[in-house]
Amino acid sequence: MVKSEVLVLGGGPGGYLAAERAAQGGKKVTLIEKRALGGTCLNEGCIPSKALLNSAKLYEHAKDSAVFGVTAENVKIDHSKVIDRKDKVVKTLVSGVGMTMKANGVQVVMAEGVIKGKSGDGFVVEAGGEEYAGEKLIIACGSVPVVPPLPGLREGIERGYVLTNREILDKKDLPKHLVVIGGGVIGLEMASYYSMIGVPVTIIEMLDKIAGPTEKEVSAVLLKEYKKRGIDFKLSCKVTSVGEDCVNFEENGEAKSVKADAVLCSIGRRAATQGIGLENLGVYTERGAIVTDSHMLTNIPNVYAIGDANGKIMLAHTAYREAEVAVNHILGKKDIMRYSAIPSVIYTNPEVASVGETEESAKAKGMEVKTVKASMKMSGRYLAEVEKGDGFCKLVIDTKKNRLVGCHMIGSYVSEMIYGAALMIEREMPVDDIKELVFPHPTVAEVIREALFMV
Ligand code: NAI
C-alpha cells in the first residue's frame, strides 16, 4: 500500500492544479491519471482547438488582407501541418505539467484508478495493480462526450465515420462535407475551423438558436456571421439516425437527410463517473454528476469532487478554482466556491465572451435590470484593425444596486477582455466606481467603458 495525505484521481486542469497546490501546502500527494496529464483541456479540447483555430485565422487574414493594403498571393493552408503543429503545442504543455508535478514532489501514477473503499490508511484507489491510500481524496475524473442511443451513431463512431472532440482534432484528411450534430461550443468552434479552411459544413441543432445559453442577441449575430461565411444551419431539427454516408433528421415533422463524409457529434458532455468505484464509498451523484458543497466536499467527509466530475460548470477555469477551494479546505484555509462571475468564451471568429446574468436570467431571479449596448466600432483600435462584423458589448445593470451583473460581447479580442468584466462583477463594484477606472487607449476593452457611460 502506497500512502499519501492527498490522493487525486484524474490529471486534468482540476486534478493537476489540486495536486500542485496541495504539494505546495506541504502535503504528500499522489496523482493518478489513466491517459495523459492535462486531461481533455490540454490533449483534446481547449488547447488543441485553439492551435487549429489560430492557423485558420492566419489563413483568413492572409486571404483578406488586400483591404489593409497587403497583397498575399497563392495563400494556402496545409491542414496536415496544422495538426502537426497542434501536436507539438500539446506535447510541450503536457510535458510542462509533468515537470511541474515533479518539481513539486507529486507522485504521478499513469494507470486507470478505481476507488476500492476505505481502510485504516484512508481512501483506497487501485491503479496498475497497486493500491494507493489517501487521507483525503480529490475526484477530478472529468467528463466524456454524450453519445445518445440514436440508430447508427455508435456504429458510426466505431467505423470512424462519426467523430467526437477527440478524433476530430487528430483527423489529417479533410472531409468533403462535414456535418456537425449540435450547435454548441464544440460544434461551433470546429465548424468555424473547417469552414474557414474551405470545407462545407452543415450544423444540425435541436434548438432554434445556436450557442446554448449564450445571450440571445450575441447568438443571433454569431448565427448571421456564420451564415454569411457559408455554414448551412438546420435549426430546430432533431437528428433521428446516422446512415452509411448521411445524417437523417426531422424538420417540422418532415424526415430529411444530409450527405456527409464525416460527422462530428458534439451534443454535450457528461461527468465520467461510471466505473470509477464511487459506489464503494457511497458517493452521492445526481444525473451522473457528483454532488458537492461550496468547499467541493461530497456527501462523504474528506472526499472532494472538482471540475467536470461535479457537472456544475464544465470549463477548465472553473476546475482550476474548484481545485484551489478544495485544497484550501484541506489545508484549513477559509475559502468557498462562487459561481456567479465565471466567464465563458467561444473561440469562433468573431469571438464570443460572456459573464454573469443575461437580461432574461436576471429577470427570472426577480432582479430589476436594464441593458446598454455599445458597438465595437466605438473603439478606435477596433475600427483601425477590424474590417468586418457587427461586434458589440452589452451590459446588464442591476438598477436597484447600481451594479454591473452581466457582460456579453461578440467581436475580435473579447476573449482577452472578459476577465475585466468578471472582476467588476465578482467584486460587486458600483457602476460609479467602475466609471473611475482608467482603461488604456486605444484598446478594444474601452468599449466596456463606453457602454458603462450609457447607463
Ligand atoms: P454544448 O452543451 O455546448 O452544446 C450541445 C448542443 O447540442 C446544444 O446546443 C444542444 O441543444 C444540441 N443538441 C443536443 N442533442 C441534440 C440532438 N440530438 N440533435 C441536435 N442537436 C442536439 O456541448 P458541446 O459543444 O458538446 O461541449 C461540451 C462541453 O465542452 C461544454 O460543457 C463546454 O462548456 C465545453 N467546451 C468549452 C469550450 C470553451 O470554453 N471554449 C470549448 C469546447 C467545449
Side-chain angles (χ1 to χ4, degrees):
M1 181 89 74
V2 182
K3 294 182 204 167
S4 307
E5 289 170 290
V6 180
L7 193 54
V8 184
L9 189 55
Y16 75 69
L17 193 72
E20 184 183 340
R21 293 280 192 266
Q24 287 164 349
K27 298 286 178 192
K28 185 170 185 289
V29 184
T30 299
L31 171 70
I32 301 175
E33 164 58 48
K34 68 173 174 183
R35 208 174 152 88
L37 287 176
T40 303
C41 167
L42 251 63
N43 296 283
E44 51 205 44
C46 320
I47 302 298
S49 57
K50 262 63 299 159
L52 263 58
L53 283 162
N54 193 51
S55 288
K57 266 192 220 167
L58 288 173
Y59 175 57
E60 203 172 69
H61 278 315
K63 280 193 307 173
D64 298 347
S65 56
V67 68
F68 294 98
V70 180
T71 312
E73 279 165 13
N74 209 14
V75 180
K76 288 196 183 91
I77 184 157
D78 183 336
H79 174 68
S80 163
K81 275 198 184 146
V82 173
I83 301 280
D84 288 343
R85 179 179 173 274
K86 177 269 294 180
D87 288 341
K88 201 177 78 186
V89 171
V90 169
K91 207 170 151 205
T92 306
L93 287 168
V94 171
S95 74
V97 173
M99 286 192 287
T100 306
M101 294 301 103
K102 204 169 168 193
N104 285 283
V106 174
Q107 180 191 22
V108 175
V109 178
M110 292 304 296
E112 182 160 2
V114 177
I115 301 165
K116 289 293 167 187
K118 205 175 172 209
S119 75
D121 295 320
F123 302 99
V124 180
V125 173
E126 190 192 277
E130 182 73 71
E131 285 196 335
Y132 298 87
E135 292 161 25
K136 312 277 180 184
L137 173 64
I138 300 180
I139 304 170
C141 56
S143 61
V144 288
V146 168
V147 180
L150 283 173
L153 188 61
R154 209 160 269 287
E155 294 85 334
I157 291 177
E158 276 159 21
R159 66 184 164 93
Y161 175 58
V162 179
L163 316 163
T164 68
N165 59 293
R166 178 176 291 168
E167 300 82 34
I168 196 158
L169 290 164
D170 286 333
K171 190 174 169 60
K172 280 204 164 173
D173 54 317
L174 281 180
K176 287 195 191 73
H177 186 179
L178 175 72
V179 167
V180 176
I181 309 177
V185 202
I186 295 179
L188 288 169
E189 289 189 0
M190 284 299 98
S192 182
Y193 172 73
Y194 276 96
S195 73
M196 279 199 274
I197 67 167
V199 173
V201 179
T202 301
I203 297 183
I204 308 177
E205 166 59 51
M206 188 166 79
L207 304 177
D208 61 359
K209 73 189 273 276
I210 57 166
T214 302
E215 200 273 337
K216 63 177 194 297
E217 238 181 306
V218 170
S219 164
V221 169
L222 190 65
L223 180 67
K224 198 177 96 191
E225 290 285 337
Y226 274 97
K227 275 186 176 168
K228 256 198 272 174
R229 285 158 177 266
I231 292 185
D232 178 24
F233 287 93
K234 310 278 184 207
L235 298 183
S236 306
C237 289
K238 209 167 165 248
V239 172
T240 48
S241 66
V242 173
E244 282 288 306
D245 60 352
C246 63
V247 178
N248 305 312
F249 61 98
E250 232 178 62
E251 188 170 22
N252 300 323
E254 200 183 320
K256 294 194 172 169
S257 186
V258 58
K259 285 240 184 285
D261 49 359
V263 177
L264 170 67
C265 177
S266 51
I267 59 166
R269 297 180 65 86
R270 61 170 177 80
T273 51
Q274 280 169 12
I276 61 162
L278 291 181
E279 63 287 355
N280 296 327
L281 284 179
V283 175
Y284 187 58
T285 60
E286 254 172 29
R287 275 178 281 134
I290 301 173
V291 178
T292 51
D293 67 8
S294 57
H295 300 299
M296 312 320 303
L297 266 171
T298 66
N299 60 315
I300 308 294
N302 301 313
V303 178
Y304 301 78
I306 59 172
D308 290 7
N310 66 39
K312 287 199 166 89
I313 298 183
M314 288 193 175
L315 296 171
H317 45 278
T318 309
Y320 282 149
R321 180 70 192 125
E322 290 176 338
E324 290 169 346
V325 170
V327 171
N328 282 339
H329 193 254
I330 290 170
L331 299 176
K333 294 184 186 168
K334 213 171 143 205
D335 198 2
I336 58 158
M337 187 64 204
R338 294 177 299 274
Y339 291 97
S340 57
I342 293 184
S344 75
V345 173
I346 313 177
Y347 295 84
T348 39
N349 187 13
E351 296 175 344
V352 168
S354 320
V355 61
E357 307 289 346
T358 60
E359 188 174 2
E360 292 75 22
S361 69
K363 283 184 176 160
K365 288 178 185 165
M367 296 159 82
E368 283 175 28
V369 292
K370 74 180 259 194
T371 62
V372 286
K373 192 173 125 187
S375 164
M376 286 287 166
K377 288 177 184 148
M378 292 178 86
S379 150
R381 181 173 180 209
Y382 194 87
L383 211 55
E385 295 187 6
V386 182
E387 269 295 315
K388 292 188 285 190
D390 297 321
F392 64 84
C393 167
K394 189 171 181 177
L395 302 182
V396 184
I397 309 292
D398 181 326
T399 46
K400 254 187 170 168
K401 295 182 177 158
N402 193 32
R403 266 181 18 210
L404 177 68
V405 290
C407 176
H408 308 274
M409 298 188 278
I410 179 163
S412 305
Y413 310 102
V414 297
S415 57
E416 296 291 344
M417 288 153 53
I418 195 68
Y419 86 94
L423 179 78
M424 295 164 194
I425 295 172
E426 170 68 26
R427 291 289 127 191
E428 302 184 346
M429 289 175 73
V431 167
D432 294 335
D433 287 8
I434 308 174
K435 282 180 176 171
E436 290 176 10
L437 297 177
V438 179
F439 285 63
H441 175 79
T443 57
V444 180
E446 285 175 292
V447 73
I448 299 178
R449 191 175 148 81
E450 293 290 347
L452 274 168
F453 277 88
M454 293 174 168
V455 175

